[in-house]
Every structure is written in C-alpha cells, then in structure tokens.
Amino acid sequence: MFALSRNVSNVAKNAVRGKHTLPKLPYDYAALEPIVCREIMELHHTKHHQTYVNNLNAAEEQLAEAQSKNDVTKIISLAPALRFNGGGHINHSIFWQNLTSERTEPSADLKKAIESQWKSLDAFKKEMTALTVAVQGSGWGWLGYNKKTQKLQIVAMPNQDPLEASTGLVPLFGIDVWEHAYYLQYKNLRPSYVEAVWDIANWNDISKRFADAK
C-alpha cells in the first residue's frame, strides 16, 4: 500500500505540473526502413502512444479530483489505469530514443560490462532475443541496470508494466513486442522482427543511459 500511495503521489505532482504530451520522434517516420516501415512507425507513434498519453492525462485528472474529495476508494481504483497508461508512455518514450537509422556501437564501458556477464555481445543479443520472443501475449524485453548489484539484467515485462517502477532496474534498452509494433510488416514472425531490431539499436543512447545509471 505504501508503494501504491507513493506512486499515486508522484503522479499527482505530475498532474499539477501540467499534462503529458506526445514526444517528437528524433527521426522521420520512414527513417528506420526497411527494418520498420513508415506505416508502422506513424501508427505506433501517433495512434498507440498518443492513446497512452491521452488516457494517462484523463486518469490523472480523475486522481486529482478523487484526492480533493479524499475518496480513497476511487484513488485506489485508478492504480491499474495509471500503471498501464503511464507505463505505456514511459516505455515508448524510451523506445523511440533507443532506435536509430545510423550504425552505432556500445561504448567501451558498456561493452566491457556485457562481455563480463555474457562473454560476448553476440551471446548477449542471443539471450535477450530469446527472452523477448518468448514473451506471452503482449509485452517488452528489457536490458536494465541493477544499482544494488551493479550488474546488467535482461527482463521480460508483461503488457506496459514499467521496468523501473516494477523491478527497480534502470531501463537501458527495450524491445516492444506488442503486435502493433511489427504485425503489419512481419505478420506472425515475431522472431524476425526482434532479430532485425538489433540493426537499428541506438547504442549511443543505450550507452548514455548505462553511464547515467551508474
């Protein structure tokens, strides 16, 4: 209950500061072709992510009203909507930055950490790909950083559950395996999509997140 109250309080503070907005992509909708086509990117960004933003703002408005009335039952009932839509907004905001049309490589520091735990970058990619492909239904595959152990971790998350709020891990790189992220192009071939995503992984962004997390 304490964790729920703390999260609700943080959301309420965000609501006071202003409404959430859809972040602009750092590239054109067609920039990631042929890995991810323009149509998918445009729908994914302007429709799916925008819906999470809209629903999160609506839930926060209801939360503010419930708090003003000290309606604890209503406050608690809003937790699932805040988690789902807030997670969707957080996850996608990271996801767009995690991708790039340019060829990038992990920083020396990140590469060393990956090789220390998985022996090689290819072995790491293979393990994260397998875990992500195996997500049942909709969800995400994540590379996160555990501040307590100072180790990298690969984690599969269901639905739009946000990594840090759910596990305490700092999100570094996420792969979206909701069908709307790939189905128009890859149909039922999720493994092909996940394997292709590595070609557009923005290691500059991932490496910066790793450096900031330490």
Side-chain angles (χ1 to χ4, degrees):
M1 180 63 71
F2 173 74
L4 173 61
S5 299
R6 181 179 59 193
N7 289 339
V8 166
S9 177
N10 288 337
V11 170
K13 291 177 182 177
N14 288 337
V16 171
R17 286 196 293 267
K19 290 187 176 181
H20 300 282
T21 58
L22 183 70
K24 292 183 178 179
L25 293 186
Y27 38 73
D28 183 78
Y29 288 123
L32 304 182
E33 291 184 338
I35 306 302
V36 183
C37 68
R38 170 189 282 275
E39 185 178 11
I40 286 178
M41 288 300 298
E42 191 164 3
L43 286 171
H44 199 170
H45 182 245
T46 65
K47 301 300 182 182
H48 293 280
H49 191 172
Q50 182 68 68
T51 297
Y52 295 127
V53 170
N54 293 344
N55 289 341
L56 175 59
N57 285 329
E60 286 188 344
E61 289 178 3
Q62 294 179 59
L63 175 62
E65 181 180 359
Q67 287 184 317
S68 70
K69 297 178 180 179
N70 198 29
D71 187 344
V72 177
T73 299
K74 180 65 175 179
I75 291 172
I76 293 173
S77 73
L78 288 167
L82 292 167
R83 182 182 185 86
F84 181 75
N85 293 293
H89 180 40
I90 291 170
N91 292 342
H92 285 86
S93 295
I94 296 171
F95 184 58
W96 308 132
Q97 299 293 329
N98 274 173
L99 304 178
T100 181
S101 59
E102 302 174 0
R103 301 294 296 185
T104 59
E105 298 292 338
S107 66
D109 196 27
L110 178 56
K111 186 177 181 181
K112 180 180 178 181
I114 289 173
E115 291 177 342
S116 173
Q117 293 182 228
W118 286 279
K119 306 304 180 185
S120 70
L121 183 60
D122 286 341
F124 155 71
K125 289 180 179 180
K126 183 177 180 180
E127 184 172 329
M128 183 165 173
T129 295
L131 186 73
T132 304
V133 169
V135 169
Q136 294 186 350
S138 300
W140 293 71
W142 285 99
L143 171 64
Y145 179 72
N146 189 321
K147 289 188 175 183
K148 292 183 179 180
T149 64
Q150 298 184 331
K151 295 287 187 179
L152 298 169
Q153 287 183 226
I154 300 172
V155 182
M157 299 297 295
N159 302 313
Q160 293 295 352
D161 286 4
L163 183 67
E164 191 163 11
S166 303
T167 67
L169 299 176
V170 178
L172 306 180
F173 177 53
I175 301 178
D176 187 350
V177 286
W178 278 68
E179 286 189 344
H180 63 239
Y182 64 89
Y183 202 84
L184 284 175
Q185 187 172 352
Y186 292 87
K187 303 300 186 285
N188 63 317
L189 301 179
R190 179 189 281 184
S192 297
Y193 157 72
V194 175
E195 290 170 4
V197 164
W198 292 109
D199 289 337
I200 53 174
N202 186 353
W203 286 107
N204 292 337
D205 180 66
I206 300 166
S207 297
K208 184 179 185 305
R209 292 177 188 278
F210 176 61
D212 291 344
K214 296 178 66 178

